[in-house]
């Protein structure tokens, strides 16, 4: 899984250079330390709720109550009933066999087990196709436009790829303006259409322009919609078909944004979006605003979809690639 931005994207240069990436990991420990600290801080609400229970259970006397309390704490943090049950069962089994002694060993193993269940595929984004088309979909207000802006900023400002944004949210007049603001901040181009116009036409035009100008990555914003609105879900499928007509194989990546504060309801949204829009990965936003951030660890198992990015705040630095182990550690490990 990707622990930082350069690891998230598969490029011509990074392809097949896993060894070198490993070297890079160890080469920049100071920067990674800073990112990890920031993750811990932004997850403070979940940490506080979960951390005290972990301390009280795993670092005390192990008895039947230990496992019940641990289960309860993980479920309260929205880790999900089936994920929690399987992880705690394994931990209890290994502890009873004497493989794990002491709170530190138990919590390390808990981190490892949670990280393993939260891993689907490598969670990376392949940007080798020229151009790569990324589409953002999701319920109203979940953070699509903000995520696109932050993603464009990292791709362009930090990694030097050219980016073009397509404002296919033609539903609200203010939507294109909001995306325009992000295009300016990220230093990238934008294609818009008149308010109320066909979103497919804007997406088509954006990709045509990106092809003509040799742009590396096109990111298409779409209007928020409820997973229960069949006509709007159908429209999303139509936009996808139009995109594929302009460029075979596109969209290469369809990112579903889920607001972490909506908890298990977010999972219900995701199931219906996955059916309509062939989602390839999840962006989990607003983790800073909830004590139930454990949902990041349940999504992979519940939906068989990788969480590729997490948002834990409103600044560009607060969007980051999701690494299950870093994440589980940030929630559980003692100071
Ligand atoms: N605290 C916090 N706020 C966030 C995060 N991500 C997005 N937001 C805020 O959530 C609000 C909605 O974000 P948008 O990006 O406009 O959401 P959207 O999905 O594009 O909304 P629609 O286009 O209306 O469907 C904005 O105020 C964002 O700043 C996050 O990770 N943390
Ligand atoms: Mg939007």
């Amino acid at each position: 899984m990707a622990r930082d931005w350069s690891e998230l994207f598969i490029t011509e240069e990074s392809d097949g250079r896993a060894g070198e990436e490993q070297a890079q990991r160890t080469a920049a420990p100071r920067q990674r330390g800073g990112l990890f600290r920031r993750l811990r801080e932004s997850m403070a609400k979940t940490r506080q709720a979960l951390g005290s229970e972990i301390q009280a259970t795993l670092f005390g006397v192990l008895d039947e109550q230990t496992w019940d309390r641990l289960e309860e704490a993980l479920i309260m943090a929205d880790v999900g009933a089936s994920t929690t049950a399987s992880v705690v069962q394994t931990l209890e089994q290994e502890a009873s066999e004497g493989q794990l002694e002491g709170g530190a060993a138990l919590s390390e193993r808990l981190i490892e087990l949670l990280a393993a269940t939260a891993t689907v595929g490598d969670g990376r984004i392949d940007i080798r196709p020229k151009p790569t088309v990324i589409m953002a979909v999701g319920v109203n207000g979940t953070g699509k436009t903000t995520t696109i802006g932050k993603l464009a900023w990292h791709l362009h400002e930090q990694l030097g790829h050219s980016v073009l944004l397509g404002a296919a949210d033609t539903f609200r007049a203010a939507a294109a303006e909001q995306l325009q603001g992000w295009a300016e901040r990220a230093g990238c181009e934008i294609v818009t259409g008149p308010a109320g116009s066909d979103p497919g036409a804007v997406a088509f035009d954006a990709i045509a322009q990106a092809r003509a100008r040799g742009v590396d990555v096109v990111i298409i914003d779409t209007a928020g919609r409820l997973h229960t609105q069949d006509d709007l879900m159908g429209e999303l499928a139509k936009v996808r078909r139009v995109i594929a007509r302009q460029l075979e194989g596109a969209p290469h990546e369809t990112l579903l944004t889920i607001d972490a504060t909506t908890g298990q309801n977010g999972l219900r949204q995701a199931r219906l979006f996955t059916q309509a829009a062939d989602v390839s990965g999840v962006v989990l936003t607003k983790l800073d605003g909830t004590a139930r951030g454990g949902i990041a660890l349940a999504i992979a198992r519940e939906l068989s979809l990788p969480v590729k990015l997490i948002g834990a705040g409103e600044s560009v630095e607060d969007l980051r690639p999701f690494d299950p182990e870093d994440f589980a550690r940030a929630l559980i490990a003692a100071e």
Side-chain angles (χ1 to χ4, degrees), residues 139-140 171 223-236 272-273 276:
V139 169
N140 314 64
F171 191 70
R225 65 203 71 217
L226 280 175
H227 49 299
T228 48
Q229 293 170 310
D230 291 341
D231 49 337
L232 292 181
M233 295 303 277
E235 180 193 81
L236 216 48
L272 293 174
F273 268 96

Side-chain angles (χ1 to χ4, degrees), residues 242-255:
V242 172
I243 289 175
R245 217 173 297 142
Q246 169 61 256
L247 182 66
E248 210 191 316
H252 305 93
E253 190 80 47
T254 302
L255 298 176

Side-chain angles (χ1 to χ4, degrees), residues 101-182:
E101 302 250 347
L106 282 164
S107 74
E108 266 308 298
R109 183 65 180 137
L110 177 60
I111 289 166
E112 216 174 85
L113 290 168
L114 284 170
T117 64
T119 304
V120 176
D122 65 6
R124 297 174 77 196
I125 296 176
D126 188 351
I127 56 166
R128 285 173 299 179
K130 285 284 174 274
T132 296
V133 179
I134 300 173
M135 189 173 168
V137 302
V139 169
N140 314 64
T142 47
K144 293 174 292 298
T145 307
T146 310
T147 296
I148 289 172
K150 293 171 181 172
L151 188 57
W153 186 87
H154 284 281
L155 273 165
H156 182 251
E157 292 292 315
Q158 288 207 306
L159 301 170
H161 301 289
S162 54
V163 178
L164 184 146
L165 305 183
D169 177 359
T170 54
F171 191 70
R172 286 187 307 120
E177 240 169 80
Q178 187 192 358
L179 197 66
Q180 177 83 48
W182 276 110

